[in-house]
Amino acid sequence: MNHKELSELIYPSLPHTCAEYEEIYPERNLPEGAMVTRLGPSPTGFIHLGNLYGAFVDERLAHQSGGVFFLRIEDTDDKRYVENAVETIISSLEFFGISFDEGATLNGDVGSYGDYTQSKRGDIYQAFAKKLLAENKAYPCFLTEDEINEIREKQEAEKLTPGIYVGWSKYRDWDKDEALAAEVESRIKGGEPFVIRLKSSGMPNVSAEDSLRHNVTDAVRGELSMPANFQDIVIIKQTGIPTYHFAHVVDDHLMRTTHVVRGEEWLPSLPIHVELFDYLGWELPIYCHTAQLMKIGEDGNKRKLSKRKDPELSLDFYRSEGYHPKAVREYLLTVLNSNYEEWRIENPEEQAENFKFTTEKMSASGALFDLDKLNDVSKNTLLHIEAAELAAWLKSWSDEFAPEFAYVFKDITHLAEILDLGRHDARPRADLVYARQIMDFISYFFDESFEIEDEYPAEAAADAGDIIKRYLDSYNHSDDNEQWFSKIRDIATELGYAAKPKDYKKNPDDYKGHVGHVSTVIRIALMGRAQSPDVWAIQQIMGEDKVRERLQRHSF
Ligand code: GLU
């Protein structure tokens, strides 16, 4: 049995040859410099900020260059598969404005480089595994788990690198021993389980300086020099399913990916991928290994975001809290590119899409994620969204995540007025951050959620009933802001409060308090809280009836 015969024995009938696949998936006809990127999430049911972070990079690179961005579902690890996970991936990314040109969609595949789901590409991987077998670049390996454990123990005892590589699997050299060749043949014919391993040409157990090295230019990290791989990694598992390493190489070649954006956790396996591309005679794509998302932990040190400890790692968190997708996008861009914030200050009104994103400006060490910063960015982003649009968006959020706030949306025009409060002032108020916070922030407008939250200021508490009664008696809904305030000032002076805070500060013994204390009583009676946007403006939006009704709730 020669190598070709072995490959035929293992894969006797495949629908296409490798050469045919090259024709089925030809080079893309794209303009010079157009980038082809892909997102390859595994359907684990957990879609996280890291996925979105990477997806932004992919999306920007492809769409800025007139290229193609596609979605490939990487479901070769069946243990991790979760029902409906693909739907979750697609809908979450769509929510954050990530649009694909090609790939898996909820209505099947779009594009001519599919299937876009790895589990449906078995024949393709097998064709290329067959080629490697025929060229003596791969071999079937029958080592059992127990045998592999024994090998590991031996290697540990001898202080050697663990793994299966030259010298450790006898099957690697089946072609040098007739009896072994016969054994391999009969075991395959007998249907015994085996994996297919890469026959690596790297040298094991030599010092880093002596080992063969690869130089790879990473678009984020620059020039990398790495010791070559020497592990005979599994390319096809016992089940016939490829490993990530093999599937990624075959897919990214055939789908004509130019830029592979992925997390830095893949950096250590890059030498394997370089060897695979080399064995298959293909050009290496440009790798962009993105930095891990980090946060400042409770102890003040940087640490990786963790699924268990940090709810903000899950994209569901942003959706259910009601962060506007534009805000999350805007924030991620500030984390992604160090010059984004500066650009934004210079171009406050521009669409984020007009910023020229580059991989060189990405941080190669940890990208720091900070919820407070996101909140700040969000405040600003929301200021640039029309109130009516914001109201409609909040409604769709409530319909999906928080139906308990349905009463807020009974009159959507009224809601838009509420949201617009103070947003057109010379120094606009930026109080709106995310949907759940907004529901709380505007809760006093609605009887369903109105509550007295704060206490009257001590200086005016004893006079509260009197203040509210006088206010109600003198209330004229058509007063302008100035007339309105002069009435409050009058009430203050009549009851022995200073008309100006500074008078009270100068001579505190002459007054009970100042006008601010009096107006705070009114604010609390109307809004239930000591802090709020301009009371006069709020009253105009609340309407006269509600203002009077709120004031009448108090016993005098
Ligand atoms: N399926 C891999 C993951 O979910 C993707 C890695 C890649 O983009 O190549 O981590």
Side-chain angles (χ1 to χ4, degrees), residues 276-437:
L276 278 166
F277 271 101
D278 180 48
Y279 269 19
L280 289 159
W282 296 334
E283 200 185 322
L284 204 64
I286 296 173
Y287 282 98
C288 316
H289 286 97
T290 59
Q292 292 269 8
L293 287 177
M294 314 280 275
K295 74 183 266 184
I296 302 289
E298 301 64 32
D299 58 358
N301 292 323
K302 258 194 186 183
R303 66 164 174 79
K304 274 195 241 163
L305 278 175
S306 115
K307 187 169 164 181
R308 198 170 44 82
K309 290 194 222 152
D310 307 310
E312 72 266 34
L313 185 59
S314 163
L315 287 191
D316 286 346
F317 169 82
Y318 302 92
R319 293 183 70 182
S320 70
E321 290 295 285
Y323 279 91
H324 196 283
K326 274 196 185 155
V328 176
R329 187 180 176 87
E330 183 78 11
Y331 174 63
L332 280 184
L333 277 165
T334 67
V335 180
L336 278 168
N337 254 193
S338 51
N339 53 334
Y340 183 78
E341 261 185 293
E342 204 178 303
W343 176 86
R344 178 47 89 205
I345 293 168
E346 284 163 18
N347 304 282
E349 304 297 333
E350 283 270 8
Q351 295 288 323
E353 287 66 35
N354 295 335
F355 168 74
K356 177 93 180 84
F357 173 80
T358 57
T359 45
E360 292 80 28
K361 291 271 197 257
M362 289 182 70
S363 153
S365 52
L368 202 56
F369 182 80
D370 174 358
L371 212 47
D372 293 336
K373 180 79 204 245
L374 166 65
N375 288 341
D376 272 351
V377 168
S378 190
K379 283 180 191 169
N380 258 309
T381 310
L382 295 196
L383 259 186
H384 288 90
I385 301 177
E386 290 283 334
E389 188 186 332
L390 198 55
W393 179 76
L394 286 169
K395 177 168 186 335
S396 65
W397 166 79
S398 158
D399 288 347
E400 188 172 356
F401 296 101
E404 66 273 24
F405 294 115
Y407 60 85
V408 171
F409 304 96
K410 275 189 250 166
D411 181 348
I412 199 101
T413 319
H414 180 58
L415 173 62
E417 284 171 358
I418 293 174
L419 296 174
D420 230 10
L421 257 177
R423 301 206 318 159
H424 302 284
D425 297 357
R427 291 185 54 213
R429 292 187 66 98
D431 305 297
L432 311 180
V433 192
Y434 55 92
R436 238 173 248 287
Q437 171 270 344

Side-chain angles (χ1 to χ4, degrees), residues 38-44 48 51 58 72-76 80 118 244 248 252 260-263 265-266 287:
R38 87 297 191 274
L39 189 72
S42 297
T44 57
H48 55 82
N51 298 121
D58 282 313
R72 179 172 72 222
I73 303 299
E74 303 206 331
D75 57 349
T76 55
R80 295 167 73 199
Q118 288 184 330
Y244 164 75
H248 134 62
D252 281 324
V260 171
V261 179
R262 61 184 182 186
E265 65 276 17
W266 293 108
Y287 282 98

Side-chain angles (χ1 to χ4, degrees), residues 16-74:
H16 294 291
T17 63
C18 299
E20 284 166 354
Y21 282 124
E22 296 287 348
E23 276 173 32
I24 298 173
Y25 305 112
E27 294 254 6
R28 290 169 184 267
N29 191 5
L30 290 170
E32 177 83 24
M35 300 181 187
V36 179
T37 60
R38 87 297 191 274
L39 189 72
S42 297
T44 57
F46 183 67
I47 171 124
H48 55 82
L49 201 62
N51 298 121
L52 185 63
Y53 178 81
F56 271 127
V57 181
D58 282 313
E59 191 270 342
R60 285 293 77 215
L61 293 183
H63 291 159
Q64 262 179 196
S65 65
V68 175
F69 174 36
F70 65 88
L71 175 66
R72 179 172 72 222
I73 303 299
E74 303 206 331

Side-chain angles (χ1 to χ4, degrees), residues 248-267:
H248 134 62
V249 169
V250 171
D251 289 348
D252 281 324
H253 170 69
L254 290 181
M255 295 177 174
R256 310 292 170 177
T257 307
T258 64
H259 288 68
V260 171
V261 179
R262 61 184 182 186
E264 68 180 338
E265 65 276 17
W266 293 108
L267 213 44

